[in-house]
Amino acid sequence: MAPKTNPDKPAHLNVRDIPRETLFRLKMAAAAEQKTVKDLILELVNGKIQELEKKGLLPKGK
């Protein structure tokens, strides 16, 4: 039986093989906007998801 997941509990994501220059620029971009890398990534990802939802390529989220 599969374990039950709690939708309110944050999940973890590891991303490998990011070019060092890209990671450096990501950190610099976050610092320039006085945000954490996590907050900047979430902002960018959520923006892309909303864009795809508007185009009808993804179902609308909750």
Side-chain angles (χ1 to χ4, degrees):
M1 189 160 126
K4 295 181 181 178
T5 59
N6 181 349
D8 296 328
K9 184 177 178 185
H12 298 275
L13 172 68
N14 292 317
V15 181
R16 298 175 184 238
D17 300 324
I18 302 295
R20 289 187 186 275
E21 179 65 19
T22 301
L23 181 57
F24 175 76
R25 292 172 58 95
L26 173 63
K27 290 178 178 182
M28 294 296 292
E33 294 196 6
Q34 298 181 340
K35 296 179 181 182
T36 64
V37 170
K38 177 186 118 178
D39 289 341
L40 180 58
I41 289 172
L42 285 173
E43 179 182 302
L44 294 169
V45 168
N46 284 325
K48 185 64 173 182
I49 289 169
Q50 287 176 358
E51 176 186 321
L52 293 172
E53 288 174 344
K54 286 179 185 175
K55 291 180 179 179
L57 298 173
L58 282 180
K60 299 274 185 195
K62 295 178 185 173

